[in-house]
């Protein structure tokens, strides 16, 4: 569906709720609701503000679904994630997401009839097909079974030489699980070799250290005066030691001439060197050996494995990308593939020295950025998320402020707006990115920029210049992904402090707050059996859960501007993140469009 005409953007007045109240819309990233025990960091942490919503105003607090089909994922076994969560929050409807769309295209075989596949197929006779992406069954950025089907489909469609460039996970799945995924892939490739094609793993590295950086390239980033552009940030020393869990050194992870940890083209360059140039500090004869060996380093983990290439008996890399080859990035999720897509696609490119730019046919699994049309070739069309709440509200006079720190900035802007970069109307919107800490993993600085984000939100609320002030507080999620329980407790406390600061400002201006989360993470830090008992690994150690969860998330409304009779209805028991947009439109004094998921609130006459 295209954009409605100007009149169609007009929202009807809500019959009972007034306009003109300032609304704080707060997303706690990775903050689910789970049984209280010692591995529930939200329970362990001192979080009086979030606790008070539940205990003092139970009719204005409830749980909503944040995983599975409620956010457009294929099944109820799929945990939520930031992309689908913020898409649902912003769009007010449930769209079949990348994971699902790729499943359907593979199952029907339509993927092979599409323009994207035809384009890469042109190289099958004389070139190599390279597949680059995250190797796990996490289902957040990619899925192993989709890669397996694609390999089989490529073989059936005439690919003669295939090279897979793997990125190990340990973030959406258990740390250490990479070895198993690589073994499975090796078996599949060996089966293909028996069928007469030359198929091998060519390179690899940990997702957070190699290739999968995010949010460097989204356009229209707003930098307030005096905060500096990213490019002008101070460089760190040429060899930055990386602090790992509990502050220890990940001794094999030393930036060579590096400077920034996140949002860093060096991450993409490390991948480029291995994947395209066939150059990496570590060389192995096979990938299982590579991952096993690199994990022997005491502080090593799947997320941060250094780059490696696979070499033949003469020591030559088995799969650099060359002229005439085809390349597919098989992640369906955009944020951590967009930077590589630029490096592969753009002729004019100055982010790092590519050294050699092979003439290739490149396609993404999906198109990662609809505004930039990046990449121009893709195997499956992305979800068409249109008519988001942000766009409606801007058309209805709502002035919006959105803010987070770098690692989640695109979540409250790009994902919120339906994977669209930039403003709807720059006159009415202001997006502020606070640069994230660099050169560390976030368990070392679990407070991150929560207080700075809250201060920006507070100032925006008090300024009177905005009707909606929207933030993402990243702590529970980003620290939860490190698997460091102690640090995650600190992270949850500071997120609670930040919420307090924001609702205090709302109190001062007579506004309304809506506090929710995009999916679970910090509320459960261990892998459990079916009965909920924490699982131990074969050495008797706890299996730490670095990933998101299947838990529901809380939503709380309140503030002096909330109409006295407003409360959660009890006839939407299955409500999920997609119901929040209509709720917020109501609180701004509007009815939601009729095809939006129903509002969570009602107004009873007192
Ligand atoms: O990309 C990541 O960091 C993880 O895979 C998912 O986390 P997010 O969905 O919260 O960004
Ligand atoms: Mn998230
Ligand atoms: Mn996360």
């Amino acid at each position: 569906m295209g954009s409605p005409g100007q009149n169609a953007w007009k929202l009807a007045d809500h019959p009972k709720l007034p306009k003109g109240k300032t609304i704080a819309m707060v997303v706690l990233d990775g903050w689910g609701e789970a049984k209280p025990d010692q591995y529930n960091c939200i329970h362990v942490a001192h979080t009086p503000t979030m606790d008070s919503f539940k205990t003092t105003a139970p009719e204005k607090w409830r749980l909503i679904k944040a995983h599975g089909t409620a956010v457009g994922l294929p099944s109820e076994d799929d945990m939520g994630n930031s992309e689908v969560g913020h898409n649902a929050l912003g769009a007010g409807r449930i769209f079949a997401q990348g994971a699902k769309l790729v499943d359907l295209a593979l199952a029907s075989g339509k993927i092979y009839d599409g323009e994207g596949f035809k384009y890469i197929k042109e190289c099958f006779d004389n070139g190599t097909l390279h597949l680059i992406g995250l190797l796990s069954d996490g289902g957040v950025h990619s899925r192993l079974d989709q890669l397996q089907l694609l390999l089989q489909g490529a073989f059936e469609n005439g690919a003669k030489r295939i090279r897979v460039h793997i990125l190990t996970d340990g973030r959406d799945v258990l740390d250490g699980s990479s070895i198993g995924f690589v073994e499975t892939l090796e078996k599949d490739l060996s089966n293909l070799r028996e069928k007469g094609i030359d198929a091998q793993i060519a390179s690899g590295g940990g997702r957070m250290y190699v290739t999968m950086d995010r949010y460097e390239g989204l356009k229209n980033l707003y930098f307030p005066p005096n905060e500096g552009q990213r490019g002008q940030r101070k460089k760190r020393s040429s060899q930055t030691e990386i602090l790992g869990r509990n502050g220890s050194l990940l001794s094999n992870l030393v930036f060579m001439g590096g400077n920034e940890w996140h949002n860093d083209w060096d991450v993409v360059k490390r991948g480029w060197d291995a994947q395209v140039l066939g150059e990496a500090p570590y060389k192995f004869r096979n990938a299982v050996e590579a991952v096993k060996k690199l994990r022997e380093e005491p502080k090593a983990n799947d997320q941060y494995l250094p780059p490696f290439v696979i070499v033949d008996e003469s020591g030559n890399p088995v799969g650099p990308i060359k002229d005439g080859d085809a390349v597919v990035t098989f992640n369906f999720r955009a944020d951590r593939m967009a930077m590589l897509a630029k490096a592969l696609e753009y002729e004019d490119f100055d982010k790092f020295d590519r050294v050699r730019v092979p003439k290739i046919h490149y396609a993404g699994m999906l198109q990662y950025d609809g505004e930039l049309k990046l990449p121009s070739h893709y195997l499956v069309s992305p979800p068409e998320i249109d008519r988001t709440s942000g766009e409606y509200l801007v058309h209805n006079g709502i002035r919006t402020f959105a803010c987070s720190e770098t690692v989640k900035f695109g979540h409250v802007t790009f994902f919120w707006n339906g994977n669209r970069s930039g403003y709807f109307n720059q006159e009415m919107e202001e997006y502020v990115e606070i640069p994230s800490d660099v050169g560390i993993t976030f368990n070392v600085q679990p407070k991150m920029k929560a207080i700075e984000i809250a201060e920006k939100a507070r100032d925006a609320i008090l300024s009177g210049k905005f009707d909606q002030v929207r933030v993402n507080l990243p702590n529970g999620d980003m620290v939860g992904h490190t698997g460091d329980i102690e640090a995650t407790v600190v992270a949850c406390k500071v997120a609670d402090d930040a919420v307090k600061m924001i609702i205090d400002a709302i109190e001062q201006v007579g506004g309304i707050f809506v506090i929710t989360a995009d999916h679970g993470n910090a509320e459960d830090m261990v892998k459990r059996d079916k009965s909920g008992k924490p699982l131990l690994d074969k050495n008797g150690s706890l299996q730490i859960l670095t990933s998101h969860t299947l838990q529901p998330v809380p939503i709380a409304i309140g503030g002096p501007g909330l109409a006295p009779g407003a409360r959660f209805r009890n006839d939407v028991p299955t409500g999920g993140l997609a119901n929040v947009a209509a709720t917020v439109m109501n609180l701004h004094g509007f009815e939601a469009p009729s095809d939006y998921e129903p509002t969570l609130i009602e107004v009873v006459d007192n």
Side-chain angles (χ1 to χ4, degrees), residues 29-30 80-82 140 171-172 207 214 333 336 408 411 474 476-478 480-481 518-521 546-548:
D29 213 293
N81 68 69
S82 290
V140 173
R171 186 173 176 90
D172 300 326
R207 56 175 285 174
R214 69 176 161 200
R333 176 161 149 176
R336 294 190 185 274
K408 298 290 179 185
H411 291 37
D477 183 66
M478 293 303 288
H481 279 305
D518 60 340
H519 52 76
N521 185 336
T546 52
S547 71
H548 300 168

Side-chain angles (χ1 to χ4, degrees), residues 147-406:
L147 171 64
Q148 291 173 310
L149 289 171
L150 191 59
L151 280 167
Q152 179 63 25
F155 160 69
E156 285 166 13
N157 279 276
K160 300 188 173 57
R161 196 165 181 274
I162 300 179
R163 293 292 179 266
V164 188
H165 302 265
I166 62 169
L167 301 163
T168 54
D169 191 343
R171 186 173 176 90
D172 300 326
V173 291
L174 290 185
D175 182 45
S177 58
S178 279
I179 295 169
F181 294 124
V182 179
E183 284 171 344
T184 305
L185 177 60
E186 285 289 21
K187 242 182 252 145
D188 292 335
L189 295 173
S190 135
N191 288 341
L192 285 176
R193 287 196 292 273
E194 274 170 26
K195 291 177 184 159
I197 71 166
D198 172 9
Q200 293 188 59
I201 296 176
S203 77
R207 56 175 285 174
M208 299 299 283
Y209 194 63
V210 177
T211 299
M212 282 176 59
D213 195 37
R214 69 176 161 200
Y215 292 150
E216 179 70 6
L218 300 178
K219 61 176 187 169
N220 284 349
L221 299 192
Y222 178 82
F223 289 89
N226 308 324
E227 294 223 341
Q229 297 273 339
R230 232 195 239 125
Q232 295 164 1
R233 265 193 258 158
K234 266 204 203 122
K235 296 270 179 199
R236 296 189 172 224
S237 63
S238 62
Q239 289 215 333
T240 309
E241 288 169 318
I242 304 308
L243 294 169
R245 203 176 280 176
N246 304 325
S248 54
L249 283 177
L250 294 180
S251 55
N252 63 340
L253 297 184
V254 173
F255 278 123
M256 304 308 293
N259 37 66
E260 296 190 352
W261 182 242
H262 292 276
N263 318 98
D264 180 355
W265 282 100
D266 279 355
V267 175
V268 185
K269 179 178 173 2
R270 275 180 214 113
W272 181 273
D273 290 350
Q275 296 142 2
V276 179
L277 307 179
E279 289 166 11
Y282 295 93
K283 297 182 172 59
F284 292 93
R285 289 301 306 282
N286 76 70
V288 174
E289 184 201 338
V291 174
K292 283 190 177 158
K293 199 92 211 135
L294 293 171
R295 280 188 56 88
E296 276 172 16
E297 155 66 33
K299 298 294 181 292
N301 58 44
D302 290 350
Q303 294 190 54
Y304 291 95
L305 288 186
F308 61 86
V309 290
I310 305 302
V311 292
D312 62 18
E313 61 282 358
S314 328
N316 296 319
V318 300
I321 300 176
K322 299 199 172 129
D323 284 354
D325 287 352
V327 177
V328 171
T329 46
F330 63 84
N331 285 16
F332 43 74
R333 176 161 149 176
D335 58 346
R336 294 190 185 274
M337 269 298 130
M339 291 166 79
L340 173 58
K342 286 181 179 172
L344 287 168
E345 175 134 330
Y346 287 171
E347 240 168 75
D348 284 332
F349 179 88
D350 58 3
K351 303 300 182 184
F352 61 85
D353 181 3
R354 290 181 288 184
V355 181
R356 187 168 60 73
V357 187
K359 291 192 179 55
I360 54 171
H361 281 198
Y362 165 51
M365 182 65 104
L366 258 68
Q367 185 166 63
Y368 299 127
D369 190 319
E371 285 285 298
L372 303 178
K373 305 264 179 278
L374 176 79
S376 47
H377 299 272
Y378 46 94
L379 304 188
V380 177
S381 297
E384 279 176 45
I385 305 176
D386 60 350
R387 299 185 300 110
T388 60
S389 59
E391 190 162 14
Y392 270 110
L393 289 172
V394 159
H395 279 283
N396 285 273
I398 299 299
R399 301 157 303 166
T400 304
F401 177 89
C403 173
S404 190
E405 62 177 276
T406 309

Side-chain angles (χ1 to χ4, degrees), residues 5 23 63 136 152 188 251 323 383 397-398 401 422 442 458 544 582 584:
I23 297 184
L63 295 175
S136 81
Q152 179 63 25
D188 292 335
S251 55
D323 284 354
I398 299 299
F401 177 89
F442 287 111
R458 176 198 62 200
I544 297 292
V584 174

